[in-house]
Amino acid sequence: MASVKHYLQFKDLTRDEYDYLFARTRWIKEQFKAYQQYWPLTDRTLVMIFEKASTRTRLSFEAGMQQLGGSAIYLNTRDSQLGRGEPVEDAAQVISRMSDIVMIRTFEQEIIERFAANSRVPVINGLTNEYHPCQIMADIFTFIEQRGPIQGKTVAWIGDSNNVCNTWLQAAEVLDFNVHVSTPPGYEVEPERAGLYGTDHFEQFADPMEAAKGADLVTTDVWTSMGFEAENEERLRDFADWQVDADMMRAANKDAVFMHCLPAHRGEEVSAEVIDGPQSVVWDEAENRLHVQKALMEYLLLGRINS
Ligand code: CP
Ligand code: NVA
């Protein structure tokens, strides 16, 4: 099954493939906005497996597949055999014989890798403990829409060095931009876990204000990711000085945008003034999940299309 193309982490695609996908996303989004029917995936079935909660990921994949003429089936751990210990390899064999493409949201990256190794069809990472590649594809598409090419720009990541942060770091290597990361002590980036080749594209800062200086994009995420709920109280204390607020946005470039993958906690990782303020592009960012993932599914199933 080695010839099947999966999307398990950001670096699974090249810069050239991202350039194609962003152009394709623009076209697919235009069709959607103009109410133009576009059904390249008629009769194709997407299976979505959720081992963690979701609003945006489920909605954008399910709506996206329907809009491309296909259908989507939702499975979760609670009411499938996955929650009762069926080996992931067996699940992959069966699910991939009955569908054309699979999206999985799960815990360790190793689980999705084992699934993909036993799948006859493309597998997409809808978030693992380590990565969230579809999110960063949408975020970068949003940046390009708002401000132009991301190459050479600076992204400030303030907060936890989690799955979304790791994916920004991989994206910086693939697309050649810089990431300033500021985390509280003890929560620093682990380059190996982030899947980085080197440290050329990121710099760690003890002071979040220093990280924000000169940034073209400031971004953050919840202090406690799904699966880490037991650490919530401790994290609330440890992260208290890592809120993105108006002062921090003032330290960034004047035309910097603010992003957050959502769901957000106003008053924790971001102030209401920032997320609801004029520099925030979070609603476009969320919407773009739909458009980039449609381009991604089309690409994994049909290859490049000339439009
Ligand atoms: N950003 C994101 O993936 O949101 P959901 O958890 O709602 O899917
Ligand atoms: N880092 C968060 C992202 C949610 C979309 C989590 O993993 O819970």
Side-chain angles (χ1 to χ4, degrees):
M1 296 176 206
S3 61
V4 181
K5 197 167 180 64
H6 303 295
Y7 189 55
L8 306 183
Q9 48 183 307
F10 197 90
K11 66 184 182 189
D12 286 349
L13 297 178
T14 63
R15 185 160 160 188
D16 180 57
E17 288 176 303
Y18 282 110
D19 286 345
Y20 166 77
L21 283 170
F22 292 142
R24 195 67 195 149
T25 300
R26 264 191 297 283
W27 185 84
I28 286 174
K29 184 171 179 176
E30 278 165 21
Q31 306 310 300
F32 175 77
K33 296 287 178 186
Y35 297 96
Q36 288 296 313
Q37 200 178 79
Y38 178 57
W39 286 359
L41 302 184
T42 310
D43 290 337
R44 306 289 180 112
T45 304
L46 163 72
V47 171
M48 306 181 295
I49 303 168
F50 283 91
E51 300 211 77
K52 294 175 177 171
S54 168
T55 297
R56 278 145 289 267
T57 303
R58 177 180 178 180
L59 183 59
S60 52
F61 270 104
E62 189 163 340
M65 193 55 171
Q66 281 171 16
Q67 290 162 18
L68 293 174
S71 56
I73 296 172
Y74 171 79
L75 293 178
N76 66 37
T77 318
R78 278 187 309 285
D79 54 22
S80 70
Q81 299 289 5
L82 290 161
R84 298 182 60 253
E86 180 166 16
V88 67
E89 290 80 2
D90 294 2
Q93 290 283 355
V94 174
I95 290 167
S96 70
R97 282 174 184 238
M98 299 189 194
S99 61
D100 300 284
I101 188 162
V102 177
M103 183 245 94
I104 308 180
R105 168 167 287 194
T106 187
F107 292 89
E108 289 79 25
Q109 181 72 9
E110 188 227 339
I111 298 172
I112 199 170
E113 282 168 6
R114 282 165 50 209
F115 191 104
N118 289 276
S119 172
R120 295 181 167 204
V121 303
V123 176
I124 298 174
N125 184 343
L127 182 146
T128 57
N129 289 352
E130 287 82 2
Y131 307 119
H132 196 3
C134 295
Q135 182 67 55
I136 302 310
M137 206 192 297
D139 292 6
I140 293 172
F141 179 76
T142 308
F143 184 86
I144 295 168
E145 268 189 325
Q146 304 272 344
R147 296 286 184 270
I150 197 160
Q151 187 181 11
K153 300 288 186 192
T154 297
V155 174
W157 175 272
I158 311 294
D160 190 19
S161 63
N162 61 14
N163 41 11
V164 180
C165 174
N166 287 342
T167 311
W168 270 116
L169 294 169
Q170 280 198 3
E173 290 192 339
V174 177
L175 301 178
D176 190 23
F177 58 90
N178 309 304
V179 185
H180 290 178
V181 181
S182 181
T183 67
Y187 297 92
E188 290 88 356
V189 171
E190 297 169 52
E192 203 174 314
R193 186 171 154 85
L196 301 181
Y197 299 118
T199 52
D200 289 357
H201 291 82
F202 87 96
E203 201 176 335
Q204 305 212 57
F205 293 78
D207 179 354
M209 291 298 274
E210 289 298 316
K213 270 189 197 156
D216 302 290
L217 190 172
V218 179
T219 185
T220 186
D221 186 12
V222 291
W223 290 338
T224 305
S225 287
M226 293 180 280
F228 298 83
E229 288 81 1
E231 300 172 14
N232 192 40
E233 289 302 308
E234 193 181 338
R235 283 170 171 265
L236 281 174
R237 282 193 300 276
D238 292 346
F239 283 80
D241 294 333
W242 272 262
Q243 180 183 97
V244 178
D245 59 12
D247 281 345
M248 211 175 277
M249 289 306 294
R250 271 191 287 274
N253 285 346
K254 247 196 175 59
D255 66 344
V257 290
F258 171 77
M259 290 192 194
H260 189 309
C261 64
L262 306 177
H265 296 80
R266 288 170 177 76
E268 291 183 20
E269 73 275 5
V270 61
S271 68
E273 192 184 359
V274 168
I275 195 169
D276 299 320
Q279 288 169 282
S280 172
V281 295
V282 296
W283 311 129
D284 287 325
E285 179 189 3
E287 179 192 321
N288 282 333
R289 291 288 303 278
L290 173 71
H291 308 303
V292 297
Q293 289 162 193
K294 285 166 77 175
L296 176 67
M297 288 192 286
E298 182 195 61
Y299 180 59
L300 294 178
L301 286 171
L302 304 179
R304 291 191 190 218
I305 312 279
N306 296 317
S307 54

